[in-house]
Amino acid sequence: MKKILFFTYLPRHLKKVLPLINLLKRKTSLEYLLIIMTQEEKQLAEKYELNYCMLDEFTTVKRKYNYDLAWGIEPLINSIDILKPDLFIAIEVNYILRNAIRYCKQKSIPNLIIQHGTPNLKSLHAFAPFEGETFAAWGQFTKDFLIQNGVKESKIIVTGGMNFDRTLSIQRSKHELSKVLNIDPNKQWVLFTTQGVGAGNRPSLDEIRQGVKSATLRAMKCNNLQLIFQVHPDQSINDIKQFTDEIIDHKALIIKYEDTEELISVSDAMITFFSTTAIDAIILGKPLLLINLVDKLDYFPFIKMGAAYGAYKVEEINEFFEKINMNNENLKCMTQRAAEYVNYKNDGKALDRIKGIIYNKLGVSDFE
C-alpha cells in the first residue's frame, strides 16, 4: 500500500486540501497520513472525521505557542523519517515547508506542492526559489509569474484550483442566505472582503481605514444597497468596526460568515484589496473593485485586462457604486477571459487533474 503524507499548518490550508483527502481516502490501494500543527486544524479534522496526528507527536521538545513555526521544523523532518511516505503533499512551500521539501529531495521522496494563494512580488518568498518536484498551479497567470521568477517550467503543471471547483458548483440562493444574515434580499448586496496589514505593509492600516470608511459612507447614500464586510480569518470583527463605528447609522453588516464563497456567489458586486477572493468574484462574473491607494502595483491582471475596476484614489471607490448596474458587455467578455487565465478551464475538474498527478507519481490507476 502506497502512503501519502499531507502536512498543513493553518486551518485555511486544511480546508483547501480537504477535497483531495476525501477523494484519496476512498482509494483502497492508498493510505493517507495527515499531520497538522494548530488547535484550530485539530477542531476541523475532528469535525470532518479525519485521521490525523499532531506535529507534537514527533518530538519531545515542547512548543512555545500554538503557531510556533521555528519549533515545527524538527518534528516535521522527524515525521518524514518515521512515516516514510511514498509521496509528500503540502499546499504551500513556505516557512518550515521549504526545509521539508529539501529533505524529501535528499531522501528521494516524491513531492507535490498545491497552490494556496495568489503569487506576487511581496510574497515571492512563498513561491520561489521552488525546490520541490512538482507545483500544481491554478492557471497560466501563476505559471507565467513563476517562470519569470526563476522556477523551471518543467516543474509546473497547470491544473486549476480545487477550491475554485467548489466555487463553480455553489447553489445557495440569495433568499436563503438573507434569512441567515437577516438582511433584505431585494437590495443589491455589495460584498467587501477585508484583509489585515500584510507583507510589505500592503495593505497598510491607513489604506484599510480609508477603504472601509469610504465604501461605508458611499453605501449609506444608496437606499437599495446593502454593504457587507466579510472579515478576513486573521482579523477580528472589531478590527473593521473601529472604522465603521466612526460613521453614525452606517447600516453596514460586519460578519465572519463561515463560507466566503457562498457570500460571493449571491452578492451583486465585490470589493477587496488583493484577496484571493477576487478570483472567485471573477470566476462568478461579479463586478469587482480592487483597491490600491498606495501605488500602481497590481497583484492581479484584472484591471489591465479590463475585467475589473481599480481604485487608486478614494474618489474611485465612490465611482464604483455607480457602475454596478451598468450593462457593460466588454467587461463581461474580459471577465470571462480573465477567469480562464487565472483558473485553468473553469470546468470544475481541477481535483481530477491533481488526482491524476498523484496517481502518476505513485504508479497507480483508477482501476486498482
Side-chain angles (χ1 to χ4, degrees):
M1 182 177 287
K2 297 292 180 71
K3 292 191 292 187
I4 303 173
L5 174 57
F6 289 89
F7 173 69
T8 67
Y9 61 88
L10 286 170
R12 59 180 178 268
H13 289 183
L14 181 54
K15 283 181 180 179
K16 287 188 176 180
V17 83
L18 184 60
L20 183 58
I21 293 175
N22 284 334
L23 179 70
L24 294 175
K25 72 182 183 182
R26 297 196 296 265
K27 185 77 170 173
T28 55
S29 60
L30 298 177
E31 178 186 5
Y32 86 90
L33 310 165
L34 172 63
I35 297 177
I36 55 181
M37 182 171 175
T38 64
Q39 291 300 309
E40 292 80 7
E41 290 168 282
K42 181 179 178 180
Q43 291 172 8
L44 280 173
E46 291 175 352
K47 176 182 176 180
Y48 293 108
E49 299 180 339
L50 302 177
N51 296 321
Y52 69 91
C53 293
M54 295 298 294
L55 198 54
D56 309 68
E57 297 175 35
F58 298 93
T59 181
T60 57
V61 179
K62 301 295 183 183
R63 68 171 84 193
K64 293 179 181 178
Y65 42 87
N66 186 34
Y67 189 60
D68 190 348
L69 288 173
W71 163 86
I73 296 172
E74 181 190 4
L76 182 54
I77 298 299
N78 290 345
S79 73
I80 294 170
D81 275 340
I82 293 168
L83 298 174
K84 295 180 172 53
D86 297 289
L87 177 65
F88 179 84
I89 297 179
I91 199 165
E92 188 179 84
V93 57
N94 195 6
Y95 302 118
I96 57 178
L97 282 168
R98 182 159 290 152
N99 293 278
I101 288 295
R102 190 175 295 147
Y103 192 68
C104 286
K105 187 176 180 181
Q106 292 172 2
K107 295 289 185 178
S108 300
I109 298 172
N111 51 83
L112 170 65
I113 299 297
I114 300 169
Q115 183 175 352
H116 159 67
T118 306
N120 60 74
L121 293 174
K122 296 291 184 182
S123 64
L124 181 59
H125 62 282
F127 295 89
F130 180 70
E131 300 181 57
E133 190 174 66
T134 307
F135 186 92
W138 289 344
Q140 190 64 38
F141 171 65
T142 298
K143 183 175 181 178
D144 291 344
F145 176 89
L146 294 177
I147 291 171
Q148 288 165 13
N149 287 282
V151 178
K152 292 181 181 179
E153 184 175 2
S154 59
K155 291 188 173 188
I156 307 165
I157 300 177
V158 177
T159 60
M162 294 185 294
N163 45 314
F164 302 128
D165 284 357
R166 180 180 177 277
T167 298
L168 290 160
S169 68
I170 290 174
Q171 311 234 332
R172 196 74 183 267
S173 75
K174 191 174 184 179
H175 279 269
E176 281 181 304
L177 217 52
S178 70
K179 294 175 184 176
V180 177
L181 302 176
N182 194 28
I183 53 178
D184 189 347
N186 298 311
K187 288 187 175 183
Q188 283 190 315
W189 292 4
V190 176
L191 180 67
F192 194 138
T193 57
T194 71
Q195 290 167 267
V197 177
N201 198 35
R202 296 289 306 277
S204 68
L205 187 60
D206 184 59
E207 185 179 16
I208 296 167
R209 180 180 182 275
Q210 288 189 69
V212 167
K213 286 193 67 175
S214 179
T216 303
L217 284 165
R218 182 62 182 82
M220 285 179 68
K221 299 176 182 178
C222 305
N223 292 327
N224 68 331
L225 187 145
Q226 174 65 60
L227 180 63
I228 305 168
F229 288 99
Q230 169 71 338
V231 180
H232 190 275
D234 292 340
Q235 292 176 294
S236 71
I237 287 177
N238 284 335
D239 288 336
I240 303 304
K241 279 179 64 65
Q242 66 176 315
F243 303 134
T244 57
D245 285 355
E246 295 177 21
I247 303 166
I248 298 173
D249 296 329
H250 59 75
K251 300 296 191 297
L253 180 65
I254 305 161
I255 57 174
K256 265 196 166 185
Y257 185 64
E258 62 182 4
D259 194 326
T260 301
E261 291 77 22
E262 269 190 8
L263 281 177
I264 298 170
S265 72
V266 299
S267 294
D268 298 286
M270 203 187 93
I271 301 172
T272 193
F273 296 99
F274 51 88
S275 165
T276 300
T277 57
I279 297 180
D280 295 280
I282 288 291
I283 289 171
L284 294 171
K286 306 293 181 177
L288 172 67
L289 175 70
L290 298 173
I291 298 174
N292 178 1
L293 305 179
V294 176
D295 53 35
K296 292 288 184 179
L297 178 64
D298 291 323
Y299 286 75
F300 296 105
F302 303 147
I303 298 170
K304 289 179 181 176
M305 293 181 73
Y309 298 104
Y312 302 96
K313 298 180 293 185
V314 169
E315 295 77 18
E316 290 171 325
I317 299 175
N318 299 334
E319 293 169 5
F320 173 69
F321 288 85
E322 299 169 9
K323 297 172 180 175
I324 294 172
N325 292 319
M326 291 174 59
N327 188 20
N328 190 330
E329 291 300 326
N330 184 60
L331 179 72
K332 292 177 183 177
C333 178
M334 296 314 299
T335 297
Q336 184 175 348
R337 288 189 188 181
E340 292 171 356
Y341 182 44
V342 293
N343 187 51
Y344 183 62
K345 289 193 174 182
N346 285 302
D347 58 2
K349 296 181 179 179
L351 178 59
D352 289 338
R353 285 186 279 271
I354 292 171
K355 180 191 73 172
I357 295 172
I358 292 169
Y359 282 13
N360 183 60
K361 284 182 177 293
L362 294 174
V364 300
S365 72
D366 271 327
F367 305 104
E368 292 181 30

